[in-house]
């Protein structure tokens, strides 16, 4: 039997085990997200994929699709919440878009445009600077980390290394590295790891190259995040 | 006074053999990590780096993950603490009873800064969230043992004892005195529970009949959500699985609540019998009590009750000589994190991890501890269930209202003559409760802790029951000399401190609220700040992952709605 739900009025087919996010992306419908990446264990921390399922607010990436249900995503109230969530992430970290190597291919920046966040809304937390440049090929700026745990999942589940994990509680939560002295250079991390290529923002960056692709010609400069990410999702299916 | 504590601090030279023996005693189970860390912390006053590396090696865990766990829990430290670790309870009730001046006082006497060990390593003085002694405020813990009803004389005495290096076991017992403070009894507290009576009833009438009695009794969970207990047990029993667990939630992190501490201390038998009953009814073989770190001093008492019950045939193999009726209980300690009271975070913590709530569904009832169906119930829920099994559902239903059957234990604290435990039928009004405990000139009460409801004087006719004002454990009273802004500020700090940090709205939102409330408290908040508070609250309520985020904005929002006069910009005030 074919199963489906409606997403903002459109019928979305799904198969057993699909989450709302899986089904939506497969059907070519974009639901904003930051901590989700197809193929990785669903996480549900950024909360951007908030949707209403039969009137109940849930995260689309973790919620199994329900046959015959009504899902709303692109509503004014949900979009407002998404915009505020992105604004919170901008306030929490230090995001220096104009000079960031990731500018133009950063999901946080692209999603901010998508939800219409063009100016800061909250007082900046301004955490003290924390940088790890000990690795020969990669650098980590902890203040750009949005705690999405994609690198944690990639290193653990794909690379089989468990280089990254989260430490602490509340606003003190931070990314930590598994090595004797806690430094990246001392860990098993390699530039060829899946975890080296997964960071949605400019927290984990390659060394020795800068601005190879000029700003203006980058992924989200060329097309907005909904189109760009749906396109690459289709490609990976083929 | 309770049993021995470790004084003076052991040398870390033997840390490797110490860790190895601990690891061996738990069969190298990585899911026992938190329990191991708690033991190491107790032995050394912190978790030495050497211990972390050894644990990593022995349990096959990344050292960073172990450090991450240590950093999550308030009572685990990566650096040495004093031989005497003094943690002042920092509930608003403690503050109202003068704790801040006492802390100042003791620090001066001892010459120590807040939360930093003294140079000679002898003592640390710090604060912690409510330790479940609001009827004994101001209170503190020294090496895990509660110091109650502190006053300047007691502080002097404590400073002397520390200066003279008197082991905590030899401190005068009156410093540790905890009274039951029961001021009103009804069905549950007026009689003493006959140990074994509920289990005998179970074997006499069968599980089905007992579930029916529980259904008639209308018992709803006493931990906050108010889920029907009979239904929860039935669902667990009916889930297909080879193993099941029963978990007793003794985390009692709600500031101002102490009913669970009272029950653990004075009614352990009825509580343990309730857990056992649930195990036998659902077909679970193992029960776990998750005991908050602040109640560590009760562990020995509970262990003794468990041991006695084993010898009496009420626990362990073939309970009451019934073949196959096997069920046993183990105690796990928490390590200081309010979020671990949330049932799925509690299960993560039981599995030795940071207490991050899980995605739900699946609910614990289908996939809980170690992925197996698990019933999680509050201490008071198990306690009441034992009584219902013994006396029947109709007996309980002689009290209360249609939706809120029976009686309920209230933990009453703050501005009243007789703080303590009150058992009342559901449905009484706030005013009746205030009269019972001798509260006068009351400005406001906070029902069910920071995540509950603020009720001002004009609403004291509201009734405490699910139909009107759901009542959890705690009931804190503020008289007319108190500033509501102090209360709101305290609650906002509490949530910012206790957010687990997993999801964006709560991690960032609780800090934003804390800062804006602080600004309002100083009279500097602008209209724009109040508008931001509205938005932040909306974002947190609708997008947070768990109950903490859903409720963390309540104190400020309710105060703004009910007492708008408090929230005008000073420049705008006449
Ligand atoms: C942030 C948070 C903290 C909680 N703390 C406690 C607690 O300390 N004790 C408790 O029994 N339940 C607590 N709960 C409720 C539990 O998640 C769960 O509903 C309860 O233990 C179930 O038992 P019951 O049905 O007997 O009430 C908390 C819930 C949340 C969201
Ligand atoms: S470093 Fe990047 S991938 Fe890793 S948690 Fe932070 S933002 Fe996510
Ligand atoms: S709402 Fe708060 S406590 Fe709950 S998961 Fe999110 S950050 Fe953690």
């Amino acid at each position: 039997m074919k199963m489906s739900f409606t997403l903002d009025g459109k019928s979305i087919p799904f198969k057993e085990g699909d989450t709302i996010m899986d089904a939506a992306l497969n059907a070519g419908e974009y639901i904003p997200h930051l901590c989700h990446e197809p193929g990785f264990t669903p996480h549900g921390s950024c909360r951007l994929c908030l949707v209403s399922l039969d009137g109940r607010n849930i995260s689309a990436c973790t919620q199994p699709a329900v046959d015959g249900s009504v899902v709303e995503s692109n509503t004014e109230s949900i979009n407002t919440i998404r915009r505020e969530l992105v604004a919170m992430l901008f306030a929490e970290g230090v995001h220096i878009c104009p000079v960031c190597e990731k500018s133009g291919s950063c999901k946080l920046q692209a999603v901010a445009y998508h939800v219409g966040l063009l100016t800061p809304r909250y007082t900046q937390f301004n955490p003290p600077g924390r940088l790890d440049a000990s690795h020969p090929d990669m650098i980590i700026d902890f203040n750009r980390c949005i705690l999405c745990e994609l690198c944690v999942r990639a290193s653990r589940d794909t690379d089989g290394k468990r280089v990254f994990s989260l430490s602490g509680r509340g606003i003190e939560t931070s990314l930590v590295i598994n090595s004797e002295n806690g430094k990246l250079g001392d860990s098993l991390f390699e530039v060829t790891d899946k975890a080296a290529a997964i960071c949605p923002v400019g927290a984990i960056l390659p060394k020795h190259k800068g601005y190879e692709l000029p700003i203006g010609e980058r992924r989200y400069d060329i097309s907005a995040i909904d189109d760009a990410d749906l396109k690459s999702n289709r490609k990976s299916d083929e | 006074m309770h049993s021995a504590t470790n004084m003076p601090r052991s040398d870390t030279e033997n840390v490797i053999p110490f860790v190895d023996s601990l690891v061996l005693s738990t069969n190298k189970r990585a899911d026992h990590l938190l329990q191991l860390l708690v033991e190491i912390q107790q032995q050394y006053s912190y978790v030495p780096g050497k211990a972390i590396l050894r644990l990593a090696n022995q349990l096959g865990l990344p050292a960073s993950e172990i450090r991450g766990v240590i950093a999550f829990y308030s009572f685990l430290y990566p650096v040495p603490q004093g031989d005497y670790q003094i943690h002042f309870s920092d509930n608003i009730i403690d503050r109202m009873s003068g704790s801040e001046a006492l802390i100042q006082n003791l620090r001066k006497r001892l010459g120590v800064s807040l939360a930093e060990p003294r140079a000679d390593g002898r003592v640390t003085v710090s604060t912690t969230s409510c330790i479940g002694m609001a009827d004994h405020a101001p209170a503190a813990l020294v090496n895990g043992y509660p110091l109650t009803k502190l006053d300047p004389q007691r502080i002097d005495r404590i400073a002397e004892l520390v200066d003279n290096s008197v082991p905590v076991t030899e401190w005068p017992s009156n410093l540790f005195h905890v009274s039951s403070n029961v001021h009103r009894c009804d069905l549950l507290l007026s009689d003493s529970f006959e140990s074994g009576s509920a289990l005998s009833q179970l074997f006499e009438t069968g599980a089905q009949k007992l579930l029916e009695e529980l259904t008639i009794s209308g018992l709803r969970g006493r931990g906050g959500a108010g889920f029907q207990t009979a239904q929860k047990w039935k669902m667990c029993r009916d889930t297909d699985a080879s193993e099941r667990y029963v978990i007793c939630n003794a985390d009692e992190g709600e500031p101002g609540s102490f009913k669970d501490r009272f029950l653990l201390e004075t009614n352990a038998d009825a509580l343990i019998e309730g857990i056992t009953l649930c195990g036998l009814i659902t077909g679970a073989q193992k029960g776990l009590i998750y005991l908050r770190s602040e109640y560590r001093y009760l562990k020995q008492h509970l262990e003794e009750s468990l041991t006695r019950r084993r010898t009496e045939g009420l626990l362990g193999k073939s309970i009451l000589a019934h073949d196959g009726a096997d069920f046993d209980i183990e105690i796990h300690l928490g390590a200081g994190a309010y979020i671990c009271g949330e049932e799925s975070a509690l299960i993560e913590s039981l599995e030795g991890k940071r207490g991050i709530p899980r995605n739900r569904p699946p609910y614990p009832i289908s996939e809980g501890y170690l992925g197996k169906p698990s019933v999680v119930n509050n201490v008071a829920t198990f306690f009441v269930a034992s009584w219902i099994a013994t006396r029947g559902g109709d007996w309980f239903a002689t009290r209360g209202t249609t939706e809120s059957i029976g009686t309920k234990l209230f933990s009453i604290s703050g501005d009243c003559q007789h703080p303590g435990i009150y058992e009342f039928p559901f449905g009484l009004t706030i005013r009746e409760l205030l009269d019972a405990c001798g509260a006068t000139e009351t400005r406001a009460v906070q029902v069910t802790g920071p995540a509950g409801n603020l009720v001002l004087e004009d609403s004291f006719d509201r009734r405490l029951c699910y139909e009107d004002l759901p009542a959890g454990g705690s009931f804190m009273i503020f008289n007319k000399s108190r500033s509501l802004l102090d209360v709101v500020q305290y609650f906002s700090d509490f949530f910012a401190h206790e957010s687990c940090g997993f999801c964006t709205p709560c991690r960032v939102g609780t800090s934003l609220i804390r800062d804006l409330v602080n600004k309002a408290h100083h009279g500097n908040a602008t209209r724009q700040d109040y508008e931001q508070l509205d938005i932040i609250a909306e974002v947190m309520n609708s997008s947070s992952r768990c109950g903490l985020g859903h409720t963390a904005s309540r104190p400020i929002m309710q105060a703004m709605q009910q007492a708008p006069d408090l929230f005008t910009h000073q420049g705008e005030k006449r």
Side-chain angles (χ1 to χ4, degrees), chain B residues 14 74 82 110 126 133 174 176 203 209 223 248 273 280 289 310 316 324 326 361 381 384 431 463 535 544 547:
Chain B
N14 292 324
S74 298
L110 294 171
S126 32
M133 286 286 170
N174 67 334
F176 301 97
F203 289 117
K209 176 80 173 106
C248 172
E273 190 142 336
L280 296 181
I289 299 177
R310 281 183 202 112
D326 302 337
T381 312
V384 181
R431 198 179 307 284
R463 296 162 71 223
I535 294 170
S544 293

Side-chain angles (χ1 to χ4, degrees), chain B residues 345-356:
Chain B
L346 184 150
I347 289 171
E348 287 284 294
S349 184
L350 280 176
E351 293 181 3
K353 297 179 253 178
R354 293 162 74 238
I356 306 287

